């Protein structure tokens, strides 16, 4: 399913201009619902050690945005209100590896390329609906299986991203 985004001019006037994130809302979605889409900072190929929160995300990437109270800092996306959220992620793997999507440090789902393909290069996508509370924190965390040194991920804005929105 493709999402068409429309731009909504919702910006907190109290924020300095440099810290204002773009606010884009999927068409037919209530623009007052919290939503976020965060693209990778351009780092290219990065190996993430096991149990490391992936922090190479950029709010200044072309399609990154935070909307209606969503907050992001140091690899942590925080939701402002309780409800059912669709959480999603796409990563471009450069080898075998596994990345967990966690809410409050508890695994809710994961991304993993085919285990039998040791030379895998390509994208893996996952998403799901989860009940979240206000101030719950979403992170992506590297894992050691099946690579003991952690996954290699191609971090560029069109290749790797994650986000969530209230449904």
């Amino acid at each position: 399913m493709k999402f068409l985004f429309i731009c909504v001019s919702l910006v907190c006037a109290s924020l300095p201009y440099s810290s204002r994130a773009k606010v884009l809302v999927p068409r037919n979605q209530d623009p007052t619902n919290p939503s976020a889409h965060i693209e990778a900072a351009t780092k290219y190929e990065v190996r993430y050690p096991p149990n490391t929160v992936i922090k190479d995300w950029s709010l200044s990437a072309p399609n990154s945005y935070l909307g209606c109270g969503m907050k992001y800092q140091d690899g942590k996306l925080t939701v402002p209100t309780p409800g059912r959220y669709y959480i999603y992620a796409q990563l471009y793997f450069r080898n075998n590896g596994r990345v967990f999507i966690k809410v409050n440090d508890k695994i809710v789902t994961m991304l993993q390329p085919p285990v039998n393909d040791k030379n895998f290069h390509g994208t893996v996508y996952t998403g799901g609906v989860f009940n979240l509370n206000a101030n719950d924190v979403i992170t992506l965390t590297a894992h050691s299986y099946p690579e003991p040194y952690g996954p290699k991920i191609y971090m560029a804005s069109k290749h790797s991203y994650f986000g969530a929105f209230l449904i």
Side-chain angles (χ1 to χ4, degrees):
M1 175 189 314
K2 291 184 179 179
F3 291 102
L4 299 173
F5 291 93
I6 57 174
C7 186
V8 178
S9 298
L10 300 174
V11 180
C12 292
S14 62
L15 291 174
Y17 182 77
S18 62
S19 66
R20 294 179 186 172
K22 296 179 293 236
V23 178
L24 300 174
V25 179
R27 185 173 291 191
N28 299 325
Q29 181 181 340
D30 183 347
T32 62
N33 279 354
S35 59
H37 177 83
I38 305 172
E39 296 180 340
T42 302
K43 302 278 184 173
Y44 302 108
E45 192 172 293
V46 181
R47 181 177 297 277
Y48 292 99
N51 302 313
T52 300
V53 172
I54 298 172
K55 299 179 182 181
D56 295 322
W57 306 106
S58 172
L59 289 176
S60 61
N63 294 302
S64 291
Y65 72 91
L66 297 173
C68 302
M70 297 288 273
K71 296 178 183 171
Y72 171 79
Q73 184 174 4
D74 294 326
K76 299 175 183 178
L77 180 62
T78 304
V79 302
T81 58
R84 291 174 31 210
Y85 283 80
Y86 183 76
I87 302 172
Y88 63 91
Q90 174 177 297
L91 297 176
Y92 188 102
F93 284 85
R94 298 289 298 200
N95 71 340
N96 265 328
R98 182 180 283 175
V99 172
F100 293 130
I101 297 178
K102 295 182 176 183
V103 174
N104 301 328
D105 291 322
K106 293 182 181 159
I107 300 166
V108 295
T109 190
M110 69 176 190
L111 296 108
Q112 178 178 323
V115 177
N116 59 353
D117 186 353
K118 295 198 182 291
N119 296 314
F120 182 83
H121 287 210
T123 58
V124 177
Y125 178 90
T126 192
V129 176
F130 305 94
N131 286 315
L132 302 183
N133 297 309
N135 300 312
D136 277 355
V137 176
I138 302 164
T139 57
L140 275 67
T141 305
H143 185 64
S144 60
Y145 179 83
E147 295 288 326
Y149 305 109
K152 277 194 269 186
I153 300 171
Y154 190 80
M155 296 297 284
S157 67
K158 303 298 184 255
H159 295 82
S160 297
Y161 53 82
F162 82 109
F165 56 89
L166 182 65
I167 56 172

